[in-house]
Amino acid sequence: GAMWTYSGPEGQDHWPEHYPYCGGTFQSPIDIKSELMRFDPTLRPIQVQNYNLAPGEQLTLGNNGHSIQISLPHTMHISSLPHRYTAAQLHFHWGSRGRAAGSEHVVNSRQSAAEMHVVHFNSDRYPNVSTAVDKSDGLAVLGVLIEVGEFNPTFEHFLKFINGIKYMGQRVQIPGFNVRALLPARLDEYYRYDGSLTTPPCYPSVLWTVFRDRVTVSHQQFLALATALYASSAQDSAPLPLNNNYRRLQLPDSRTVLVSFKE
Ligand SMILES: NS(=O)(=O)c1c(F)c(F)c(S(=O)(=O)CCO)c(N[C@H]2CCCc3ccccc32)c1F
Ligand SMILES: [Zn+2]
């Protein structure tokens, strides 16, 4: 991927040197604290369409050096927002072996083991994610907090291929599966705020929806995610493990976090 990393000389403290928005306002992630929350009765349940993919629908599973990502067909979209937001990709952020604390969003200072993001772009207004990515109404990302607990059979649809994408730039085709099953049961309870990409270029272009309910993966599944991948390419003489790929908490500034539930 690009020349930025999460730690070291090109780590997140240096991102603003090449990506000015990373030092700007409306940055993500944030600690979603009770004092920032305000109940908003107009927040409707999230409705997703065509998330249940047939096995014949091939998806590209890849290691882009920053995360494990799955490309998504443009038939998948969110239908409950003011504009249609069409799916582009999903990816994850996680901790490391022995440190199940790698989510980006944090709720009342509680960090989860990992976090999944499903990236969508405003397809009413923009032809693709690349043109939408720097527009204030360009992106809508669904965030799912992940804890270590019960085994998650849906994760196996891509975790079983993880050893084929150990190095940056590697990708494999995998059969489609029910992406809805990666989301929590309740899509009516969530946190909503205006924020940014959590990676460079950190454009403040994301309408964030972080679900209240968490999903679980087993300890073994968490270890697979946290230990199987490298941020370096197969040829690199110094393999660089891909872990702790989460951005530090950003200032909420004067932002309010709207919540769709009362207590
Ligand atoms: N946390 S996050 O903010 O949701 C988030 C990531 F963390 C993340 F690593 C990625 S990346 O894998 O593309 C690595 C480089 O951006 C993205 N990509 C988005 C935004 C950038 C342009 C683009 C183009 C096509 C598809 C997706 C995307 C990202 F949005
Ligand atoms: Zn992300």
Side-chain angles (χ1 to χ4, degrees), residues 12 22 24 27-31 247-252 255:
Q12 46 192 300
C22 296
Q27 291 297 288
S28 294
I30 59 172
D31 184 348
R247 191 186 190 185
R248 263 201 293 285
L249 294 173
Q250 305 298 304
L251 294 174
R255 281 178 282 181

Side-chain angles (χ1 to χ4, degrees), residues 6 89 91-93 104 115-117 119 141 198-199 208:
Y6 283 93
Q89 52 112 283
H91 62 269
F92 297 85
H93 303 269
E104 296 207 305
E115 185 169 342
M116 176 179 77
H117 292 151
V119 181
V141 181
T198 68
T199 59
W208 277 101

Side-chain angles (χ1 to χ4, degrees), residues 3-18 240:
M3 82 258 216
W4 55 271
T5 59
Y6 283 93
S7 59
E10 285 118 13
Q12 46 192 300
D13 298 336
H14 300 277
W15 289 358
E17 293 158 28
H18 298 281
L240 187 64

